[in-house]
Structures are given as structure tokens and as C-alpha cells.
Amino acid sequence: MSNEIRDDLKYTDSHEWIKINDSIATIGITDHAQSELTDIVFAELPEIGKLVKKGDELCVVESVKSVSEIYSPLSGKIVKINEKLEDAPEIINGQPYDDGWLVEIEIEKKDEIDALISGSEYQKLI
Amino acid sequence: MLNYPFLISHDGEIHMSTQSPLHKNHAELKAKFTEFAGFNMPLQFSSIKDEHLQVRKSVGLFDVSHMSNVWITGKDAEKLLTLTTIEDASKIVKNKSQYTAILRDDGTIIDDTIFMHLDDRFMIIPNAGMDEIVTDWLNKKAKEHNLSVKVENVSKDYVILAVQGPKSKELLQKMTDVDLSTIGFFGCKEIVLADQKCIISYTGYTGELGFELQITPVEKAVPLFNKILGIGKEFKIKPIGLGARDTLRLEKCFLLAGNEFEGGRTPLEAVMSWAINWDHEFIGKESLLKQKEEGSYQRLTCLECNEKGIPRHGNEVKKDGKIVGMISSGTISPCLNKGIALAYVDPDERKIGSELDIVIRGKNIKSTIVKSPFVKKDWISTQ
């Protein structure tokens, strides 16, 4: 069981992490989430340019026995997807906070960032 | 002893969940648990993929105590099995077992099972959670036909272990004086294994060389479980969870009762014709003969994905936009690294080599109809 939490990231109670860089948010799933899912074998990512609202289904991550929807923690436009995951979805298991990122969003509503939780708050949930 | 902890699920209802007598061992081995047919069993220990490949390449140990045990004894035991299954039990000699199915009058499958012919009695192994239904059905039929037979549900008295993989025989041979070569495919016998009496059968659910052990009383299974893991070290043995059990069986196109028989399917639909012995009278036979003559029924079909995507139970199967079938079981194959599925498909759309679409989250994923099984016997030699 691994449960690494990084202090420079924001989190959601549904186990996504968010890295804010000006108007761009990089989104992935936490170390705890990948460890619970184990053996990620497929990641279905959205199309670039798609508009999502906070709480919309962003992508789907599948392990051998489970299908997990990942919800968008913020509203905005998908500007980049992690294409490496198409052939090597297991990167999410190995490097959930680095090469295992899922998508980048151009943030539409900056005030939504306030609703995200800190690393120490997320720690209490897991 | 079996425990019956009360579990409160997300819907707020109280459910009973049965733990295996080996639950503590599994917890110590860091298992992740899952609920299956009322049982709390290991889903995986390390990783489903690793456990899967371990069984294909060497040997793995499964606790399958969720499966049921029913003794059928008395002078008409054989007659009852012949009446209630698609096999003529008189053809199955002592120390042999048989894969078969128990049908309703309309020909649909109540359960698929193995029966073992041991001395003058038979043991059947119904699926998880099916013990009472099968026992009641057999008792009812015995009464209706005035048969002198005792049907006894002993599921709670037995632990079932499965030792599966190319090295399984070599491993178990180190634990017994009985020459395991004398137990042929589907053979069964009472033997002593590491000082513990058990019923051993050359059977399994992985498509590999393998054995299943019925152990009573259940406490005796704990030292045996540990001993097999200990002696198995030289083969790098691993405990295997239900996750890999499912992927292993699906690669070999073995049926899973809850999935493949859902909604009532006949052995003709489930492509079990090979297991039907037509030369005897059995419950459901008339309905099967009628269905066979009519011919226009869906049949289980093997689909291999040509695009990325993992088919799952309940996905629709389409041809030129028209629904022609439904996935009963789907997964990613750890050996082939692509999506594979069993689907009930309309009779005219089942040609080997033809393409069908599997609808996954609204997207059409291309697949090809292939011959069973997905992973052939010589797969390991191609690695």
C-alpha cells in the first residue's frame, strides 16, 4: 500500500490531484487511488478541445477487474492529454504524480479552485 | 470454523457474508478482498496480471472454498445424477469425475458442476451460493421419483484448494506417496497429502495441468495451505485470488455461472453440447431436443478485440449498427494483452473470422470472432 501525498498539489475527495499553473490545471489520480485500483490496463482519455464542467466525467481508467470514472475537478477546456497512456497505461501505477498525469485543462472558473482541498486535508480522508 | 460477520453495505442493508476458514491466512498474505456470491474472498494478493502469468508459467494456489460440496449417497445415487444431469452417471466409473449441468424442465441451466464418483458415493461441487438450491432440487426430484438416496449439503465442512499450473503435479508429488500419474485427467481419489486425508481430483478452472483438493474438517486446511506454499517455494508459488481465477478461465472459454447462465440459458446456447449425453433420459431433455430442432437460438461466441478497449458484462454486440448479441463475460487477457469476451450472438452472425462491434461506453470497438479457446495449449512455448 502506497499513499504518497505531495504538498504542492491540490486534491479532491474523489482521489484526483490538481496542479495549478496560472490558467492551466494538470489533473491525475492520487497514489492512493492507483494503489487501490492496481494494474491499470486501460485509460480512455477525452478529445482535445472538449469543454467539461466541474463534476463531469473526464476520463475512464480500467484495471483488470474494475472500471473507474474520473471526474473533472474544475470546469474548462481540455487542452492536452497524456498520449503516452494509450500504449502504457501502467505509467499511472508507477508515476501517478509525474508521467502518469491524465489531462490538462484551461481553467474556466478560477473560483472553483477554492473548493479543492490541501494535501493535509486529503490525508485525513484516506 | 466459518464466520458470519454482518456487513452493512452502501445501500444500508445488512448482508451476511461468509469468510473462508483460511481468511486469516489470506489477510496475513496481504490479500485485497472482494464479495462474491455472499462470500468474502481474496480478489488478489499481489497483482491479477502477475498471479495470472504465475499459473500459466509455473504454479499457483487458490482457496476456492466459496464453491459448494454436496454428498449423494444411497443405492439410487447414480440414478438420481443420471436423472438430473446431462450425463449418464452409470458411464462414469469409480475414481472418475465429470463436468455436467443440472437443468430445469425447460432446459435452462440451474447450475454447472463436477461430480466425482468415489467408492459407492458421489460428491458434487455446485457453484458458490448454489448449495441450497441444488440440494433442494435434487431432494425434490428424488422424492418425486421414489429414489432411495440421501442428498447432504456439506459445504461448510469442506475447504477446497486448487493447485494449478504446469508445475502443480511435481509440487504435490513431493507431498504424497501416491503416484499422481495414476490419477488421469478428471480422475479423483481419496489420498493422504502431507499427513492430511483429502479428495484429490485432476480438475481445475484454469486450462492448465492442475488438481483440486477437498479437505475436511476445515481446520486441517490451514496447515496444508501453509505446507503447499512452503514446499512450492522452489517453484516460486503464489497464492492466487478470484481476479486471476476469472481471467484464467475466460482465456480458456470456461463458463462462469453468474455471467453465462444469467437469465436462463440452455447447454445448447452455452455451447456445452459436447457434455450432453443424449443416450439417457434426463430432466430438460425434451426441451433441448425441441430447441435443437428449431435451431434459431443465440450461442456463446468468442470475440477478440482489434482495438483498444475492454469488453464487460452487459455490453451490446452490433453488426452494421444492428444489435446481434450481448457480452456475458469480458476482460483484458493478460497473456494476449487485448480485450476478449464471451457473447451470446444470433445464430447467423457467428462465422469464425467475421467482424462484430462491441459497444463500450457508446463507442464501437471492432472485434473478430475467433475459435475457442483464446489462449491455446501451447501458448507458453511461444513465449
Side-chain angles (χ1 to χ4, degrees):
Chain A
M1 178 64 61
S2 58
N3 276 325
E4 190 195 342
I5 293 174
R6 294 193 179 171
D7 290 335
D8 58 333
L9 304 176
K10 293 279 187 187
Y11 297 87
T12 67
D13 57 5
S14 49
H15 310 288
E16 290 94 15
W17 60 260
I18 305 97
K19 187 178 184 176
I20 311 278
N21 196 343
D22 291 333
S23 61
I24 301 294
T26 309
I27 297 163
I29 64 169
T30 65
D31 192 28
H32 173 74
Q34 71 73 21
S35 160
E36 282 293 305
L37 293 171
T38 68
D39 282 349
I40 291 167
V41 288
F42 184 62
E44 191 177 86
L45 299 175
E47 310 244 317
I48 291 172
K50 189 182 164 186
L51 297 172
V52 290
K53 288 221 157 32
K54 181 184 167 179
D56 282 356
E57 186 182 301
L58 190 61
C59 45
V60 173
V61 171
E62 297 193 47
S63 72
V64 177
K65 287 294 284 178
S66 72
V67 181
S68 307
E69 287 92 15
I70 310 299
Y71 300 104
S72 188
L74 299 168
S75 305
K77 188 166 93 178
I78 312 282
V79 289
K80 215 167 156 188
I81 58 170
N82 187 354
E83 283 167 0
K84 272 195 216 163
L85 299 179
E86 192 174 320
D87 289 320
E90 66 276 8
I91 299 174
I92 300 171
N93 289 119
Q95 302 183 48
Y97 296 122
D98 302 302
D99 286 358
W101 63 277
L102 299 170
V103 300
E104 279 186 15
I105 286 183
E106 195 176 78
I107 304 167
E108 185 196 320
K109 298 174 182 168
K110 285 238 171 188
D111 56 331
E112 284 176 352
I113 297 170
D114 300 337
L116 302 174
I117 60 177
S118 69
S120 56
E121 285 170 298
Y122 179 66
Q123 175 83 63
K124 287 179 202 150
L125 297 173
I126 58 174
Chain B
M1 287 300 297
L2 293 173
N3 299 313
Y4 296 94
F6 282 95
L7 286 188
I8 312 237
S9 77
H10 298 302
D11 56 16
E13 303 255 326
I14 293 172
H15 296 284
M16 288 236 283
S17 164
T18 307
Q19 288 181 348
S20 159
L22 293 165
H23 190 85
K24 239 181 98 186
N25 301 63
H26 301 323
E28 279 165 14
L29 290 162
K30 305 254 185 317
K32 270 187 209 290
F33 291 92
T34 185
E35 292 293 313
F36 181 71
F39 288 80
N40 184 246
M41 297 296 285
L43 171 67
Q44 62 187 77
F45 292 87
S46 48
S47 111
I48 293 176
K49 267 180 151 177
D50 291 353
E51 290 168 32
H52 180 108
L53 296 173
Q54 168 71 20
V55 173
R56 289 268 180 265
K57 290 176 177 170
S58 181
V59 60
L61 174 62
F62 304 69
D63 172 12
V64 289
S65 298
H66 56 294
M67 304 285 286
S68 313
N69 300 76
V70 177
W71 276 120
I72 302 173
T73 54
K75 92 174 160 50
D76 292 332
E78 182 189 289
K79 269 191 194 156
L80 178 63
L81 277 173
T82 299
L83 171 71
T84 55
T85 74
I86 56 177
E87 185 53 81
D88 177 354
S90 72
K91 303 286 184 224
I92 308 305
V93 298
K94 207 177 107 182
N95 293 127
K96 275 284 171 194
S97 49
Q98 176 66 35
Y99 173 74
T100 191
I102 299 169
L103 309 184
R104 298 179 187 88
D105 292 309
D106 68 357
T108 58
I109 299 164
I110 296 173
D111 203 12
D112 64 340
T113 185
I114 278 183
F115 68 77
M116 292 185 270
H117 188 174
L118 296 148
D119 294 320
D120 53 354
R121 55 186 186 162
F122 293 85
M123 178 178 268
I124 61 171
I125 312 291
N127 278 291
M130 290 302 291
D131 51 338
E132 282 174 20
I133 292 165
V134 168
T135 304
D136 291 350
W137 176 263
L138 294 181
N139 270 321
K140 189 174 147 208
K141 293 298 151 189
K143 207 170 161 193
E144 280 173 19
H145 290 81
N146 276 323
L147 298 178
S148 170
V149 61
K150 190 173 160 196
V151 182
E152 204 184 348
N153 180 4
V154 291
S155 304
K156 291 187 176 70
D157 301 333
Y158 280 84
V159 159
I160 311 178
L161 297 180
V163 184
Q164 302 279 308
K167 297 289 182 193
S168 57
K169 191 167 159 188
E170 200 179 331
L171 163 60
L172 290 176
Q173 192 61 74
K174 291 174 188 282
M175 302 172 67
T176 181
D177 296 332
V178 177
D179 179 2
L180 293 179
S181 302
T182 60
I183 303 171
F185 192 43
F186 271 74
C188 58
K189 205 174 193 174
E190 290 188 77
I191 68 163
V192 175
L193 195 72
D195 301 324
Q196 172 57 40
K197 250 174 66 180
C198 65
I199 301 166
I200 188 169
S201 58
Y202 182 164
T203 53
Y205 197 44
T206 62
E208 298 299 330
L209 170 67
F211 297 85
E212 291 173 302
L213 311 169
Q214 318 289 327
I215 303 135
T216 193
V218 295
E219 306 82 62
K220 298 285 188 188
V222 174
L224 190 58
F225 182 84
N226 288 331
K227 232 172 233 177
I228 295 171
L229 287 182
I231 296 174
K233 268 186 191 150
E234 68 172 283
F235 306 108
K236 300 194 169 69
I237 194 169
K238 281 184 183 166
I240 314 288
L242 293 190
R245 182 169 158 86
D246 189 51
T247 51
L248 286 159
R249 69 96 192 167
L250 196 41
E251 283 187 342
K252 296 291 180 178
C253 301
F254 295 155
L255 313 179
L256 175 63
N259 288 9
E260 270 73 52
F261 307 152
E262 189 185 40
R265 294 288 182 176
T266 70
L268 295 173
E269 293 165 56
V271 198
M272 283 168 66
S273 314
W274 61 273
I276 305 173
N277 181 334
W278 293 103
D279 297 329
H280 78 296
E281 295 311 310
F282 58 93
I283 293 164
K285 183 178 178 180
E286 261 178 57
S287 306
L288 292 191
L289 285 170
K290 204 171 145 222
Q291 184 179 43
K292 203 175 164 190
E293 203 180 296
E294 286 167 0
S296 60
Y297 50 91
Q298 287 192 328
R299 291 165 181 78
L300 210 56
T301 305
C302 303
L303 301 177
E304 200 173 280
C305 292
N306 306 325
E307 298 176 85
K308 283 197 195 303
I310 305 172
R312 304 282 185 186
H313 178 80
N315 289 157
E316 285 173 346
V317 179
K318 288 187 174 178
K319 171 96 181 178
D320 304 327
K322 190 181 127 236
I323 297 174
V324 296
M326 185 82 90
I327 304 291
S328 54
S329 289
T331 193
I332 184 164
S333 156
C335 288
L336 308 175
N337 203 22
K338 46 175 127 165
I340 56 171
L342 294 175
Y344 281 101
V345 173
D346 292 345
D348 301 337
E349 306 292 351
R350 297 181 66 249
K351 220 174 136 234
I352 301 284
S354 74
E355 276 199 349
L356 295 176
D357 294 325
I358 302 173
V359 187
I360 304 175
R361 289 185 290 276
K363 255 193 231 165
N364 284 359
I365 303 295
K366 281 193 172 32
S367 73
T368 301
I369 300 177
V370 297
K371 271 191 191 157
S372 165
F374 295 105
V375 172
K376 315 292 185 220
K377 253 207 144 53
D378 61 352
W379 176 81
I380 188 75
S381 62
T382 64
Q383 294 306 295

